[in-house]
Amino acid sequence: MNYNQFFRDAVNRLHDERRYRVFADLERIAGRFPLATWHSPNGPRSVVMWCSNDYLGMGQHPKVVGAMVETATRVGTGAGGTRNIAGNHHPLVGLERELADLHGKEAALLFTSGYVSNQTGISTLAKLIPDCLILSDTLNHNSMIEGIRQSGCERQVFRHNDVAHLEELLIAAGSQRPKLIACESLYSMDGDIAPLSKICDLAERYGAMTYVDEVHAVGMYGPRGGGIAERDGVMHRIDVLEGTLAKAFGCLGGYITAKAEIIDAVRSYAPGFIFTTSLPPAVCAAATAAIRHLKSSNWERERHQERAARTKAVLNAAGLPVMSTSTHIVPVFVGNPERCKQACDLLLQEHGIYIQPINYPTVAKGTERLRITPSPYHDDALIDQLAEALVQVWHRLDLPLHATPLAAE
């Protein structure tokens, strides 16, 4: 039995479908973001990163780096094991309190990543609710879909951001059946926002719980960085808010926040929490420093929104097919997986610009795109250089300018 052939065949299928992914060897330099060193086949080269999810550059902020270094020096690197065995190290306890405060909730629970917090959080919550029906937005992230699948509960999918369709499903479920509505607040590929207030109205009217993924919004929106729910004034109406420390906060880890009894139940039953080593003290201290800074500093958020708006304006003026979005995400439509990969290769190799192609299954076939994420540190010159490089690549690949792009709903 040639087992290796099974794996070769699987990888070859990805090549045949033009879905095989290649990752650049990049080295970020603290204090120089968005510049990075690309360790190319021909040696190190300086490049500009245009697709990082370290949206605010907090991964290089002196307060964040300082907290990590000081804590690692003082208490060491590892967490020592699972919390059930090694206990709660003090920086972790402080971080969970900071997160609960950020979202106006009674308690928070940390996981090793945002993926795990969704996967194990949703599955555990739903399993603890008898006969739970999960109502899921069709564009929910894979981590949410996996959590729903692993719950073993019945799932119904409502059309993206379609509250009328959601209401139809809620009515059909009946008033006596427990229901959990799961959605994101900001969808990272199209850059559009969920109608959270209307979803909360429906949840209250038909007796459903709400679970909202804020990973692309925490730190970024709201007067203290609490996310879209804080910005829209509905944070207190949402039962469970999930977020990440790996994007706007520049660190690592995921979490959920909710009433104390919900958090205690997940803490007591979730395999993805019970059986895995907790986040290290230095990471927790760094994340706490980032959260505290962004609770009081609006400069990063305001500058970031201004940079995103300027990037959209410059790319639109150049005739590039920028997909419509009201958020910091700047998707540029390509519509072909091979051209998308070729465009990214040309940008990196000939222009020193790093953007990762977004192809199926991350987005639907035929909607392939470049996903550009400006930061507060992308200045006017870098934005202008990006536009010029994109136009040259578009001409080189005979991609249409002044096209009508797929608009986010």
Side-chain angles (χ1 to χ4, degrees), residues 168-180:
E168 290 174 13
L169 298 177
L170 287 165
I171 292 170
S175 60
Q176 299 305 308
R177 185 172 187 183
K179 300 169 284 292
L180 176 67

Side-chain angles (χ1 to χ4, degrees), residues 58-307:
M58 292 302 292
Q60 67 173 7
H61 195 284
K63 290 181 182 177
V64 179
V65 175
M68 179 173 281
V69 171
E70 186 278 329
T71 304
T73 301
R74 179 167 49 85
V75 304
T77 54
T82 68
R83 293 165 72 170
N84 293 277
I85 292 173
N88 294 331
H89 60 74
H90 190 61
L92 185 152
V93 174
L95 175 54
E96 287 184 336
R97 288 173 179 164
E98 203 71 43
L99 289 165
D101 174 77
L102 176 66
H103 293 289
K105 301 298 183 187
E106 292 177 357
L109 190 67
L110 277 169
F111 297 87
T112 49
S113 73
Y115 193 100
V116 174
S117 60
N118 269 336
Q119 182 185 47
T120 198
I122 292 174
S123 62
T124 304
L125 283 166
K127 284 178 181 177
L128 294 175
I129 302 171
D131 193 31
C132 182
L133 171 65
I134 303 176
L135 303 168
S136 174
D137 188 289
T138 189
L139 291 189
N140 277 345
H141 189 264
N142 175 266
S143 59
M144 301 180 76
I145 295 169
E146 278 299 302
I148 293 167
R149 184 184 66 80
Q150 290 176 23
S151 75
C153 298
E154 182 184 354
R155 176 194 68 174
Q156 294 181 359
V157 178
F158 61 92
R159 291 186 292 271
H160 179 53
N161 281 348
D162 189 336
V163 290
H165 187 212
L166 174 59
E167 184 169 23
E168 290 174 13
L169 298 177
L170 287 165
I171 292 170
S175 60
Q176 299 305 308
R177 185 172 187 183
K179 300 169 284 292
L180 176 67
I181 301 170
C183 68
E184 299 181 41
S185 66
L186 193 163
Y187 292 84
S188 64
M189 291 301 127
D190 287 346
D192 57 338
I193 291 174
L196 292 183
S197 181
K198 294 179 180 179
I199 289 173
C200 288
D201 289 343
L202 292 178
E204 292 162 6
R205 187 178 308 150
Y206 296 103
M209 278 188 67
T210 45
Y211 181 106
V212 177
D213 174 321
E214 286 258 42
V215 296
H216 291 277
V218 290
M220 311 281 294
Y221 298 87
R224 298 199 311 156
I228 297 297
E230 183 187 32
R231 187 200 71 174
D232 291 356
V234 297
M235 202 156 54
H236 63 289
R237 301 175 65 193
I238 295 168
D239 294 296
V240 183
L241 282 163
E242 184 267 349
T244 184
L245 305 171
K247 294 180 172 60
F249 297 129
C251 294
L252 175 71
Y255 63 88
I256 60 172
T257 63
K259 288 185 178 296
E261 58 261 37
I262 295 175
I263 295 300
D264 195 27
V266 175
R267 181 190 67 84
S268 301
Y269 281 90
F273 170 81
I274 294 169
F275 297 107
T276 191
T277 299
S278 63
L279 290 173
V283 172
C284 293
T288 300
I291 295 165
R292 286 177 178 168
H293 175 78
L294 290 173
K295 280 180 178 178
S296 60
S297 174
N298 277 312
W299 178 86
E300 289 83 1
R301 283 187 284 275
E302 292 170 357
R303 169 75 173 173
H304 183 259
Q305 290 295 321
E306 187 273 329
R307 293 288 83 192

Side-chain angles (χ1 to χ4, degrees), residues 2-15:
N2 186 353
Y3 288 98
N4 286 341
Q5 189 61 44
F6 298 139
F7 305 115
R8 281 193 293 269
D9 290 345
V11 172
N12 286 336
R13 286 196 296 272
L14 294 179
H15 282 288

Side-chain angles (χ1 to χ4, degrees), residues 325-386:
T325 163
S326 62
T327 64
H328 62 280
I329 307 296
V330 186
V332 180
F333 185 79
V334 178
N336 178 286
E338 290 182 79
R339 296 290 182 85
C340 199
K341 177 65 167 59
Q342 290 170 347
C344 292
D345 289 344
L346 287 171
L347 286 167
L348 182 61
Q349 295 162 7
E350 298 188 7
H351 300 276
I353 290 172
Y354 175 71
I355 304 174
Q356 187 73 353
I358 305 296
N359 291 337
Y360 177 84
T362 306
V363 296
K365 291 179 180 178
T367 70
E368 294 83 5
R369 69 201 63 177
L370 309 186
R371 178 181 175 272
I372 296 167
T373 54
S375 78
Y377 303 99
H378 286 87
D379 60 25
D380 287 357
L382 291 178
I383 294 172
D384 293 341
Q385 290 167 13
L386 172 67

Side-chain angles (χ1 to χ4, degrees), residues 25 37-46 348-350:
D25 182 353
T37 299
W38 171 38
H39 294 275
S40 77
N42 299 318
R45 283 185 54 190
S46 179
L348 182 61
Q349 295 162 7
E350 298 188 7

